[in-house]
Amino acid sequence: MSRRRVAILISGRGSNMASLMEAARAPDYPAEIALVLSNRPDAEGLERARAAGIETLAIDHKAHASRESFEQALDSALRERGIEFICLAGFMRVLTDWFVESWAGRMINIHPSLLPLFRGIHTHRRALEEGVLVHGCTVHFVVPELDAGPIVAQAAVPVVPGDTEESLAKRILVQEHLLYPKALDLICSGRARLEAGRVVFSEEWDAGGALHSPH
Ligand code: GRF
């Protein structure tokens, strides 16, 4: 089996990165984590990836005069290493249309809400303010519009009385760690693919399986 060469882009602690790395240790997983790249040289996740023997790279956005030159450096580093697919995992830089379009159909992101609800930041706070009873996380293809793009997989969790931003974030993070490796598997194995701007699941795949049940 040929495994897709995947780069994970992070800016912080990298717990989703760790769950992807863990999944990719299985010999039958259809992706290998070939690179972990951060825009912050001090990102905690870099050390964790290094310890796991994965190549890491820091490209500090502050060392670049423009967003374009930062992204050129990012793009060259990815192409030089033969990266075929990108997973954004807590990568806190907004990407330009140029970068997004050069990786169209080959870049996914995990977002801590049930999209299209609560795009942007502070998703858990806003979910509590709105009084929703169900919240969750989404893996989606990246398109120029922020936190939009065809949905690959979602996991829902209940919002319970007494929940705080922290308790909700914690409950959802558990699901993120299960959902992201599953979504990458679906794509790299060809069981989920993009067709005319939507994700289509292969017939042998029960599409309901992309909705990860927490129970
Ligand atoms: C996660 O909540 C993810 O959904 C969001 O950023 C956070 C990253 O956390 N995009 P981690 O760095 O993976 O621990």
Side-chain angles (χ1 to χ4, degrees):
M1 180 190 61
S2 83
R3 285 147 65 91
R4 302 281 288 279
R5 286 177 65 75
V6 171
I8 305 176
L9 270 52
I10 63 167
S11 298
R13 69 188 162 179
S15 70
N16 278 289
M17 169 207 78
S19 75
L20 291 168
M21 283 176 359
E22 183 55 36
R25 283 162 55 111
D28 59 348
Y29 195 75
E32 69 167 297
I33 309 307
L35 177 69
V36 169
L37 197 156
S38 173
N39 64 307
R40 296 186 46 148
D42 60 348
E44 247 177 88
L46 283 177
E47 191 42 52
R48 203 162 174 179
R50 245 177 252 130
I54 290 172
E55 185 186 358
T56 62
L57 189 64
I59 299 183
D60 190 348
H61 64 276
K62 294 200 205 97
H64 286 268
S66 68
R67 207 174 273 279
E68 287 71 21
S69 99
F70 164 67
E71 290 187 356
Q72 289 283 358
L74 213 62
D75 189 67
S76 307
L78 295 165
R79 291 186 196 280
E80 274 161 21
R81 288 164 180 80
I83 298 301
E84 301 165 281
F85 202 88
I86 299 174
C87 291
L88 302 179
F91 184 68
M92 300 305 285
R93 299 299 297 168
V94 171
L95 295 163
T96 65
D97 292 4
W98 170 76
F99 188 88
V100 171
E101 271 148 22
S102 349
W103 290 88
R106 295 186 298 147
M107 176 159 58
I108 56 176
N109 178 45
I110 187 154
H111 182 77
S113 80
L114 291 173
L115 290 174
L117 290 174
F118 308 120
R119 291 174 175 163
I121 57 173
H122 304 312
T123 56
H124 308 314
R125 185 189 307 170
R126 286 156 57 213
L128 288 171
E129 280 165 7
E130 292 294 341
V132 297
L133 300 179
V134 177
H135 188 35
C137 50
T138 303
V139 175
H140 63 96
F141 279 97
V142 178
V143 295
E145 192 183 341
L146 193 67
D147 299 329
I151 291 172
V152 183
Q154 291 189 305
V157 302
V159 179
V160 300
D163 255 338
T164 61
E165 235 181 298
E166 291 70 33
S167 66
L168 199 49
K170 202 168 155 197
R171 190 174 313 120
I172 289 175
L173 196 61
V174 172
Q175 297 307 316
E176 292 187 33
H177 296 164
L178 299 171
L179 193 71
Y180 212 174
K182 187 167 175 171
L184 183 63
D185 184 359
L186 278 174
I187 295 165
C188 292
S189 65
R191 284 176 295 161
R193 59 183 195 286
L194 264 186
E195 250 180 54
R198 290 186 73 90
V199 176
V200 176
F201 297 94
S202 66
E203 276 168 28
E204 72 269 24
W205 173 253
D206 165 17
L211 177 62
H212 183 80
S213 159
H215 302 296

